[in-house]
Amino acid sequence: MFLAIVSLMFFLAVVQGFVRVVMYFWDWLSQGEKLDRHEVSRAEQALEGSEDVLERELARAKDARGLGRVFARWRASKEAVNEYLDRMHLGWYQVIIIFFVGCMAGLLLEEIWMLLTAGLTENRVGLVWGPFSPLYGTGAVLLTALCFQLRRHGAGSLQIFLASACIGGGLEQLTGWAMEELFNATSWTYEFLPDHITKWVAWRFLFFWGVLGLVWARGVMPRLLYQIGMPTSKRQVLFVTLVAVYLVADIGMTLVCFNRKTARDAGVPAANAFERWVDTNYTDEFISSRFQNMVIESGAPRQDQSGEAAR
C-alpha cells in the first residue's frame, strides 16, 4: 500500500512537471516578433472581451457561498470561454494542433480501454513515427469543425449527437475500406458483432461516436480552443508549421511502408534506391512489431481477445 501511494505521488509529480514545462514553452512561443497588426488585434480583442465577461460574472457571484460559489465561478469561466469562441477565427493553426493532440489522446484512451476491457497491452499506433493514431486526429478535427459551426447556429444536443455519429461512422467506413482496397490491410472489424452495419461500422460504435461528439462539443472543445487561442507571434506559426511538416512526412512514410509491404508480399522488387532503403529499414518484422493489431495479407483479419481490433 505504501509503495502504491508513493508511486501515485511520483506519477502525479511527473505529470505536474510535464504540464508546467508545456505551459512555459507555450508562453515562450507567444513572445518574440509579432504577426501583422490585424492578426494580433483580433486575438487581443477576443481575449479582452473574454476577460471582461469573466470579471463581470465573477462580480455577480461574489456573494455566493459554499458550493454555490464554486458553481458560480464555473459558470463565469464558461461564459468567458463562450465569449472568446464567439470572437474566434478557426483556421489551420488550431486544426493542426487539434489533429496532433487528438492523435495522441485517442491512442492513449484506446490503449487504456483495451487494457481494462481485454487485458491487452499491444502497440496500437497508426503511423511509423511517434505515438499517433491518425484516425482519432482526423475525428477530432472533423468533430471540432462540425461542433464549432453547430454551436454558432445554436444546435441542440440531439443534433450534435446525430452529426457526430455520422462523422464517426463515415470516417471508420472510409478508413477501413481504403486500407483494405489500397494495402489489403485490416486493422479492425465488426463483422463478429450482431449489430454490425458493415465490416467497419456497428450501431454500438455509432452511439459511442455520438456520445464522444457531445462530450467534445460541450466539455472538451471550448476549453481546448480557448487554451490554443489565435496566433500572435511568428514563433507560434513557425512551431505549428514544423509540426504540420512532421505529421505530413510521418503519414507519407507510413503510406510508403504499407505500399512496399504489399509489394513485397506480391513479390515485386524495389524499383529504385529509395524503395531499397525502405525495404532495408522498414522490414516486415518492423511492420509486424510496430502495428501489432494490423494484418496486411489476404484472408480474414485477425481478431484480438476482445473481439475488436483497433484503429
Side-chain angles (χ1 to χ4, degrees):
M1 176 62 71
F2 176 75
L3 182 60
I5 294 176
V6 172
S7 299
L8 178 60
M9 293 178 63
F10 176 77
F11 174 76
L12 292 177
V14 171
V15 171
Q16 185 180 36
F18 176 76
V19 171
R20 287 183 177 179
V21 170
V22 171
M23 292 180 64
Y24 175 81
F25 177 70
W26 198 252
D27 182 65
W28 178 81
L29 286 178
S30 65
Q31 301 170 13
E33 187 176 355
K34 298 298 181 181
L35 299 174
D36 65 82
R37 186 58 195 169
H38 173 70
E39 295 291 333
V40 175
S41 177
R42 181 167 55 182
E44 290 177 344
Q45 289 176 5
L47 186 59
E48 289 172 0
S50 174
E51 291 174 345
D52 290 342
V53 170
L54 180 61
E55 291 179 4
R56 183 189 68 210
E57 295 299 321
L58 287 177
R60 292 178 179 178
K62 65 180 181 179
D63 295 328
R65 294 291 182 271
L67 288 177
R69 184 178 182 84
V70 174
F71 286 120
R73 293 180 68 86
W74 177 81
R75 286 193 298 269
S77 176
K78 181 180 178 181
E79 290 298 322
V81 170
N82 286 334
E83 176 67 20
Y84 186 87
L85 295 189
D86 288 341
R87 298 167 177 260
M88 184 180 196
H89 170 70
L90 182 64
W92 69 273
Y93 177 83
Q94 294 84 9
V95 165
I96 292 172
I97 296 175
I98 289 172
F99 180 81
F100 182 79
V101 173
C103 285
M104 293 189 293
L107 176 65
L108 177 62
L109 290 175
E110 180 179 351
E111 294 200 347
I112 292 175
W113 171 259
M114 297 308 299
L115 176 63
L116 295 177
T117 59
L120 293 178
T121 57
E122 65 184 7
N123 192 0
R124 308 179 80 84
V125 297
L127 298 176
V128 292
W129 304 328
F132 305 117
S133 179
L135 179 65
Y136 291 112
T138 303
V141 169
L142 293 178
L143 285 177
T144 298
L146 172 73
C147 294
F148 190 80
Q149 294 302 320
L150 289 178
R151 174 190 170 279
R152 289 196 164 176
H153 289 83
S157 296
L158 180 60
Q159 293 171 296
I160 294 176
F161 176 88
L162 294 176
S164 300
C166 290
I167 282 182
L171 184 59
E172 286 195 303
Q173 175 66 27
L174 178 61
T175 304
W177 174 84
M179 288 176 61
E180 185 171 273
E181 290 296 315
L182 295 177
F183 307 111
N184 198 25
T186 300
S187 190
W188 78 94
T189 178
Y190 300 140
E191 287 183 309
F192 59 92
L193 296 176
D195 61 333
H196 77 274
I197 303 172
T198 69
K199 186 175 181 179
W200 304 285
V201 181
W203 285 109
R204 70 186 67 184
F205 293 108
L206 289 181
F207 174 80
F208 290 155
W209 275 105
V211 172
L212 178 62
L214 272 177
V215 173
W216 185 263
R218 302 301 191 196
V220 179
M221 182 196 74
R223 300 283 175 173
L224 179 60
L225 287 178
Y226 180 77
Q227 292 299 322
I228 293 173
M230 290 182 284
T232 58
S233 73
K234 293 185 177 181
R235 287 180 184 176
Q236 292 172 316
V237 173
L238 176 60
F239 173 73
V240 174
T241 300
L242 292 176
V243 170
V245 171
Y246 172 83
L247 290 171
V248 169
D250 200 354
I251 293 171
M253 180 56 70
T254 301
L255 294 175
V256 169
C257 290
F258 286 169
N259 184 62
R260 282 304 305 154
K261 173 66 169 67
T262 303
R264 289 196 300 268
D265 290 345
V268 179
N272 51 55
F274 175 68
E275 291 187 351
R276 287 191 292 273
W277 178 84
V278 171
D279 289 349
T280 300
N281 293 275
Y282 298 92
T283 62
D284 292 354
E285 290 74 17
F286 171 86
I287 298 297
S288 178
S289 175
R290 178 71 178 170
F291 306 99
Q292 296 177 359
N293 65 304
M294 183 180 296
V295 173
I296 308 178
E297 62 181 8
S298 301
R302 174 180 62 83
Q303 295 177 7
D304 58 34
Q305 297 174 12
S306 69
E308 178 192 359
R311 288 99 183 119

